[in-house]
Every structure is written in structure tokens, then in C-alpha cells.
Amino acid sequence: YKVGANMSKMGKSVVVVPSLMNEMDRTKLVNELYLVHCDIFDGVSKDDFANYVVYSKARQTRILIHKNDQGQSVGYCAIHFFEQELEGKASTVIRMEAGLMRAYRGKNRNAPFVCRQVMGYRLTHPGRNVYYLGALVHPSSYMLLDKYATKVWPSAEQSTELDYGGVIRQLTRLFGLKAVDPDRPGVVHVGWQTRDNERDRKQWQANPNHAAQFYIHRNPGYTQGHGLLTLVPVTIGCVAHATGRMLLNKLGNLFAPHPHGSRG
């Protein structure tokens, strides 16, 4: 279905656990979310999408589904917890896929869900090292991490490139990812391409945000489906910091003047 101007009002969001669904419901879920995905991204087949998002081999998977006021799915955020050994230690790698149709953008609707899931896992697995690993295919995703995380690798502020390179090479092998250029550690073939037009791309090139510019410099091929592997060590302090930033943003929005119209 195509979203029109009269359909851009958000409704409820729901959380589903694919492992608790029967096969018919999982197939229906794939069909429903792939329609949303194709409105936002290009370059990924339905089978690959299903394996990434719904049939993930992670120990735990939960999916937040955003609906409009007519009950149609317009966005999703899938979070996966992969338990494995990393650098000789019991570790968990968190991976995610997310997208929201253009008509419904303008607020960070996924962050509260992500913080709840990550904090819940962190508190119930105190002995494990936990990392978030993103293969980020757009500057906006990197900007969000830079805003909410206390430490992000790679970044202009972090000088521990050797640590990043070693861990990223191991994770690249573990998840079967393919490097774009061996001399540029962390840039991999993903295939997911955000449906930006030429105007969008020029606006990102001119964006003064330091995180956006760092991302574009590090991964200039993001428009071709290249992803920047981005690593965040997940500690209770990190989650508390992100939650605090969200609360401050909500307070700021409460007292800020509200312009007419919506941001696309």
C-alpha cells in the first residue's frame, strides 16, 4: 500500500517475539514488514530480509512494530541478542534493523524500546561483555548513536583505532560480512540502501553536524549500500546516560514552540 498525506498520523506500537509465533503468523509478519521495508530501503531480497529480521539465529529477537491510526504497519525496529565468545570472553553482540516511512518521521520512536530491551538484558546477564554492533547505512543512524552513547567506535573523538580494527575484523568474520576495501576497516557490503533522493544527499553533504560529516568521510559509499560497522560497549552507565538524554529531549520538546506541519 502507498501512504498518502491523510494517513500520516501515528497509532499504537506493538512488540512481537517471532520465536513465540507459529509459522503462518511469522510468514504474515514477513510480508507485512517487507512492504514497509521496500518503501524505505532498496537492495535486499524478501528472503534475505526475512532471515535478517524475523528468522534471525540470535538467542533472543524482539520486534517493535509502528502502526498508523488505521492499523497499518508503517515502521519497525528489530533487536537481536547474539551470545558468543569474543576475545576469549563470554559476550553478547546486539544487532538491529529499523525503518520508518517518511510521512511518519520526526520523532525518535525506537529509543525507549531499545533502552528497555538493552537494560533488561544487561541487568539479567551481569557477567557478560555486551556490545552493540551496527552496520550503519545512513548518516542519520550514526548521528543517533553519537548523541545517545557514551562511547562509539569509530569516531573522531576516540583514538583507540587498533582496538576497533581488531574487534571489528573478528566480528566481520563471525557474521560473514564482506569488507569493501581491506585498507578501510569496518566498511562492509550490506546492500540496504536508504531511498534518499538527490536533494536529500546534498543536504547531508552540507549538514554541519560533526558526526554526520565523520560518517560521510569514513563511508562515502553509503549511497551504494556500504555500511560502517559501528561498535558501542553497552554498560549500565551507557544505558542510563542514553535514558537521561531522552528524558531531557522530552522535557525540551514540552517547552519548545511547535511549528505547523511535520518534518519529513
Side-chain angles (χ1 to χ4, degrees), residues 139 184 204-205 211-222:
R184 294 174 68 87
W204 280 110
Q205 289 289 343
Q213 290 305 313
F214 174 82
Y215 175 90
I216 292 168
H217 172 74
R218 195 71 179 245
N219 183 28
Y222 76 91

Side-chain angles (χ1 to χ4, degrees), residues 143-155:
M143 278 177 60
L144 274 177
L145 276 186
D146 182 74
K147 180 177 181 179
Y148 288 109
T150 52
K151 186 179 290 186
V152 178
W153 290 317
S155 80

Side-chain angles (χ1 to χ4, degrees), residues 242-252:
T243 304
R245 289 298 299 267
M246 280 190 298
L247 291 174
L248 285 174
N249 287 343
K250 284 190 174 183
L251 285 172

Side-chain angles (χ1 to χ4, degrees), residues 160-218:
T160 52
E161 289 297 313
L162 287 177
D163 291 345
Y164 167 82
V167 172
I168 284 299
R169 276 189 282 272
Q170 185 176 351
L171 289 170
T172 300
R173 290 193 300 271
L174 282 171
F175 287 102
L177 301 170
K178 184 180 177 184
V180 171
D181 182 348
D183 295 328
R184 294 174 68 87
V187 180
V188 296
H189 292 280
V190 177
W192 298 39
Q193 301 170 35
T194 305
R195 291 183 183 272
D196 278 354
N197 56 36
E198 189 61 30
R199 179 170 168 265
D200 294 327
R201 287 190 282 271
K202 286 180 178 178
Q203 285 180 338
W204 280 110
Q205 289 289 343
N207 191 309
N209 183 281
H210 76 280
Q213 290 305 313
F214 174 82
Y215 175 90
I216 292 168
H217 172 74
R218 195 71 179 245

Side-chain angles (χ1 to χ4, degrees), residues 10-251:
M10 287 295 287
K12 293 182 178 179
S13 297
V14 297
V15 177
V16 299
V17 181
S19 63
L20 301 180
M21 302 169 74
N22 61 41
E23 187 59 31
M24 184 181 297
D25 287 341
R26 279 195 292 264
T27 300
K28 182 180 176 183
L29 180 65
V30 169
N31 293 337
E32 184 179 327
L33 295 186
Y34 191 63
L35 275 176
V36 177
H37 170 87
C38 290
D39 190 86
I40 306 163
F41 301 104
D42 197 4
V44 174
S45 70
K46 189 174 184 179
D47 285 345
D48 284 343
F49 174 82
N51 289 330
Y52 285 135
V53 178
V54 177
Y55 293 96
S56 171
K57 295 179 181 178
R59 178 62 62 94
Q60 296 181 28
T61 291
R62 286 177 173 80
I63 306 173
L64 176 69
I65 304 172
H66 301 296
K67 309 248 182 199
N68 62 18
D69 59 352
Q70 299 186 18
Q72 294 173 319
S73 296
V74 296
Y76 63 89
C77 177
I79 185 166
H80 316 280
F81 295 85
F82 293 89
E83 295 181 355
Q84 55 202 41
E85 193 170 284
L86 191 61
E87 294 190 308
K89 298 178 182 177
S91 303
T92 298
V93 177
I94 300 169
R95 303 201 67 188
M96 292 191 293
E97 303 88 24
L100 187 65
M101 288 180 172
R102 183 180 291 272
Y104 301 89
R105 296 173 193 169
K107 292 183 180 180
N108 186 8
R109 303 180 187 277
N110 295 327
F113 164 75
V114 171
C115 282
R116 284 195 303 271
Q117 296 298 321
V118 171
M119 180 63 90
Y121 186 91
R122 180 71 278 184
L123 290 173
T124 54
H125 297 77
R128 301 183 74 88
N129 288 341
V130 181
Y131 303 92
Y132 165 74
L133 176 68
L136 307 185
V137 295
H138 198 268
S140 59
S141 300
Y142 186 85
M143 278 177 60
L144 274 177
L145 276 186
D146 182 74
K147 180 177 181 179
Y148 288 109
T150 52
K151 186 179 290 186
V152 178
W153 290 317
S155 80
E157 284 73 35
Q158 298 295 336
S159 59
T160 52
E161 289 297 313
L162 287 177
D163 291 345
Y164 167 82
V167 172
I168 284 299
R169 276 189 282 272
Q170 185 176 351
L171 289 170
T172 300
R173 290 193 300 271
L174 282 171
F175 287 102
L177 301 170
K178 184 180 177 184
V180 171
D181 182 348
D183 295 328
R184 294 174 68 87
V187 180
V188 296
H189 292 280
V190 177
W192 298 39
Q193 301 170 35
T194 305
R195 291 183 183 272
D196 278 354
N197 56 36
E198 189 61 30
R199 179 170 168 265
D200 294 327
R201 287 190 282 271
K202 286 180 178 178
Q203 285 180 338
W204 280 110
Q205 289 289 343
N207 191 309
N209 183 281
H210 76 280
Q213 290 305 313
F214 174 82
Y215 175 90
I216 292 168
H217 172 74
R218 195 71 179 245
N219 183 28
Y222 76 91
T223 56
Q224 304 163 41
H226 298 170
L228 178 63
L229 290 180
T230 306
L231 194 67
V232 176
V234 178
T235 63
I236 290 176
C238 170
V239 181
H241 172 82
T243 304
R245 289 298 299 267
M246 280 190 298
L247 291 174
L248 285 174
N249 287 343
K250 284 190 174 183
L251 285 172

